[in-house]
Amino acid sequence: MIDAGANAWFVAETQSRQERVAEAHLRRQGFETFLPQFRCLRRHARRTEMVSRPLFPGYVFVGLDPAQSRWRSVNGTVGCRRLVAFGDQPLPLPMRVLEALRGRQDAEGFIHMEDPLDKLPQGAPLRVTQGPFADLVGLFQTRDDAMRVILLLDLLGRPTRVTLPAHSVAAA
């Protein structure tokens, strides 16, 4: 048996989009849980709203002592698939990982996701990495939400505002 020590943390794989359900059922069973979340903008039906999302979709952290608790019950918990294990023994999560995640939480418990585009000044050059404008260099104007950026690209001899997914640009 792997000696993880008392109050070690493990990773439980959840069913698709059932992280919160799994966390609630694990807590009802007396397990300590941690579900790191972040905030993002969601656009739907001409509405934009701030929603919370799991930082690691499909996983929740579970605190337990494998020598004392009935850790196999995690595998049968509503919303859970299984405890991540090596062979038949659960794999402990290094404490520094959990401490780093908890250290990045804000006052409301959300993890702040740093984005290199947050610190980018207006007019900074960005290269388009994919799509129909790939390899063109434009000037950063602004962001309209967490997923898109607005660039000025030189198209047909004139500057044109183009909105692109944030993942399709990189520093030039």
Side-chain angles (χ1 to χ4, degrees):
M1 178 165 210
I2 297 171
D3 181 23
N7 300 327
W9 285 88
F10 300 86
V11 179
E13 183 181 355
T14 66
Q15 295 172 353
S16 180
R17 298 182 186 196
Q18 297 293 305
E19 297 88 3
R20 289 179 184 89
V21 171
E23 180 187 31
H25 283 278
L26 287 166
R27 284 186 185 211
R28 280 192 205 119
Q29 293 178 48
F31 292 110
E32 190 176 355
T33 63
F34 177 53
L35 178 61
Q37 299 181 63
F38 69 99
R39 285 192 172 146
C40 66
L41 287 174
R42 179 178 72 173
R43 299 174 62 109
H44 179 70
R46 296 184 184 169
R47 284 190 356 221
T48 301
E49 61 184 344
M50 191 66 80
V51 296
S52 63
R53 300 269 192 236
L55 185 62
F56 304 106
Y59 297 95
V60 64
F61 299 112
V62 183
L64 57 95
D65 180 359
Q68 300 294 323
S69 63
R70 297 173 19 148
W71 62 266
R72 291 185 192 274
S73 66
V74 172
N75 296 341
T77 300
V78 175
C80 285
R81 288 184 195 267
R82 63 185 177 87
L83 203 58
V84 176
F86 181 74
D88 65 342
Q89 298 299 314
L91 286 176
L93 184 71
M95 279 306 291
R96 61 182 153 67
V97 172
L98 193 71
E99 290 166 357
L101 288 170
R102 285 195 166 153
R104 294 189 65 186
Q105 285 182 311
D106 62 15
E108 295 174 349
F110 292 100
I111 306 287
H112 176 67
M113 302 297 293
E114 289 185 23
D115 189 345
L117 295 175
D118 287 342
K119 298 176 184 171
L120 202 61
Q122 187 173 3
L126 291 177
R127 178 176 303 282
V128 180
T129 59
Q130 50 187 270
F133 302 116
D135 296 327
L136 291 179
V137 176
L139 300 178
F140 176 74
Q141 294 299 294
T142 188
R143 299 176 68 155
D144 65 350
D145 63 22
M147 302 298 191
R148 301 188 309 179
V149 295
I150 298 174
L151 299 177
L152 272 182
L153 290 177
D154 187 17
L155 299 175
L156 302 173
R158 60 191 310 202
T160 305
R161 286 177 63 109
V162 177
T163 304
L164 299 168
H167 64 83
S168 68
V169 297

